[in-house]
Structures are given as C-alpha cells and as structure tokens.
Amino acid sequence: DQQVKQNSPSLSVQEGRISILNCDYTNSMFDYFLWYKKYPAEGPTFLISISSIKDKNEDGRFTVFLNKSAKHLSLHIVPSQPGDSAVYFCAASVYNQGGKLIFGQGTELSVKP
Amino acid sequence: DAGVIQSPRHEVTEMGQEVTLRCKPISGHNSLFWYRQTMMRGLELLIYFNNNVPIDDSGMPEDRFSAKMPNASFSTLKIQPSEPRDSAVYFCASGGETQYFGPGTRLLVL
C-alpha cells in the first residue's frame, strides 16, 4: 500500500520555463509535507515543506501547493534552471509523531538549456 | 556544521559476511533515522531513534538487521549475515519533522 505516490517517473522542461512536480497521498492523517531533491551519489536534500494549515508555501523559485480535499500537492519551480535537474521526492508525515516520513517514488526532472 | 556523516561510502562484501554501517548525526539533533533505497521499493524507513532510544523498527526487514545508538553522536546499522538482496544505498538522517540526510553508503553484497 503506497501512501505517497508520484505518478510521473520523469519530467523534461526547457530552461526558463515552469516545472510542475506532482504528488498524491492517501492517508488523511498526514499533516506535514516535504520536498527533497537528490543528485546522483548524494543524499536527499531538504527543499521546502508545508503544513496542512496552509495551502501554499514559497521560497524563492520554489513554491509548494497543497490541496487537502484532493490529497494532492505540487512543487512549482520558476524559472527552471539546468542545475535543478535531479530526482525530486515528496514525503509526508503526521506532525509530532516522531518525524516518520513516508516517501514517494521520486520524479526525475531534466531541465534542458 | 559538517552535516550527517556516514561511513563507509561504499562497501562490497560477500554473502554471509557481517556488514556494519556507521552514522554521525548533526550535533543537537534528537532523532536519527535509517533508510534504505532500492529500485524496487524506493526510499523506505528502516528504524528511527529519539534521544538514543529506538522508537519504531517496523521497517527493519528481518532479524538479520539490527541498529544501535549508544550515544547521541553515533549509530550503527548491522547486517549479519548479509545477502545479495541487501544490496542497496543506505541513508542515515537526523533532525525531527525536517530530516537532513547523509551521503549514503552504497552496499553491494556478492
């Protein structure tokens, strides 16, 4: 039972355009969501998070949107840069339950110059 | 801060051998997590500690796997005996609601 799903294994975007990465979850108890970015041969790097009391959180070029009724979140990167090419994982947890994260399978983003 | 430190970065061993992976969390972080990444199962949580105490080991695949955290600055994940299906990248992370990952240990069991 996969509680966090990223249905697109890969995404290709032109430099300067918007990248939109999607994530769906099934467990309505999840109330804290995170995005991580991973380069080859490195560990995942925290990118941005959002609590379920919000529907949007923005940090520079990165914005995360949360639609609780649809159990869906998305990460927008604007404008996309070649250095953004990496695998992006979404993760979910129940806040104040020890930080146990459930990860999606990841989406490989390729930003072409 | 140096971040989460893991050693070794790469390990190649033969089936049946004992493997020990090591992790030094970020100073001041109360929680430590061990993950495994495989193509088939993605990133899965094996076990996590809070204040050096194991809280949830439900992700540990079987008794061949064990983890310890003798103090706040060190943890080990041991596989004994190792099997080829244990080949994966093992990550350690520390933090709380937001976790910070180490670079991982790439394990190959022949």
Side-chain angles (χ1 to χ4, degrees):
Chain A
D1 174 29
Q2 198 160 355
Q3 299 184 66
V4 179
K5 298 179 186 178
Q6 294 175 256
N7 291 319
S8 298
S10 63
L11 175 68
S12 183
V13 170
Q14 207 68 31
E15 180 179 6
R17 306 295 290 266
I18 184 171
S19 295
I20 300 176
L21 298 103
N22 294 303
C23 180
D24 297 294
Y25 61 96
T26 56
N27 189 342
S28 58
M29 296 295 291
F30 289 146
D31 56 4
Y32 189 62
F33 305 89
L34 307 90
W35 284 94
Y36 283 82
K37 173 179 173 180
K38 186 182 180 305
Y39 292 118
E42 294 184 13
T45 303
F46 170 70
L47 202 54
I48 192 168
S49 63
I50 188 167
S51 162
S52 62
I53 62 173
K54 293 182 157 185
D55 53 20
K56 176 182 172 182
N57 189 25
E58 193 171 351
D59 183 1
R61 297 186 297 114
F62 302 91
T63 303
V64 56
F65 295 91
L66 175 63
N67 182 334
K68 289 184 289 294
S69 60
K71 294 192 180 69
H72 177 85
L73 65 154
S74 61
L75 175 69
H76 292 210
I77 307 173
V78 182
S80 303
Q81 298 173 354
D84 296 329
S85 298
V87 177
Y88 289 78
F89 292 94
C90 70
S93 72
V94 178
Y95 200 74
N96 276 337
Q97 293 294 307
K100 182 174 178 176
L101 292 179
I102 306 299
F103 281 86
Q105 292 290 86
T107 296
E108 183 171 10
L109 173 66
S110 175
V111 180
K112 301 191 182 305
Chain B
D1 198 326
V4 176
I5 299 172
Q6 290 187 248
S7 65
R9 293 293 310 273
H10 303 273
E11 177 82 25
V12 180
T13 190
E14 291 189 346
M15 183 173 66
Q17 296 298 306
E18 178 179 297
V19 174
T20 299
L21 311 181
R22 296 173 176 80
C23 175
K24 177 177 166 44
I26 293 171
S27 177
H29 284 183
N30 294 328
S31 297
L32 182 141
F33 306 81
W34 282 101
Y35 290 88
R36 178 171 69 174
Q37 185 183 25
T38 60
M39 288 294 292
M40 289 294 293
R41 300 175 66 89
L43 254 174
E44 52 179 345
L45 178 68
L46 300 177
I47 184 171
Y48 77 93
F49 296 82
N50 192 35
N51 292 322
N52 313 339
V53 176
I55 302 299
D56 185 344
D57 65 354
S58 59
M60 296 286 260
E62 46 196 278
D63 291 347
R64 297 184 297 106
F65 286 69
S66 63
K68 293 182 179 178
M69 192 166 185
N71 57 63
S73 58
F74 183 66
S75 177
T76 59
L77 178 68
K78 188 176 293 187
I79 309 172
Q80 165 63 14
S82 59
E83 296 182 3
R85 59 191 167 126
D86 302 331
S87 298
V89 182
Y90 291 81
F91 291 104
C92 175
S94 71
E97 303 300 334
T98 300
Q99 295 170 28
Y100 299 88
F101 284 73
T105 295
R106 186 172 295 273
L107 174 65
L108 177 60
V109 183
L110 302 173

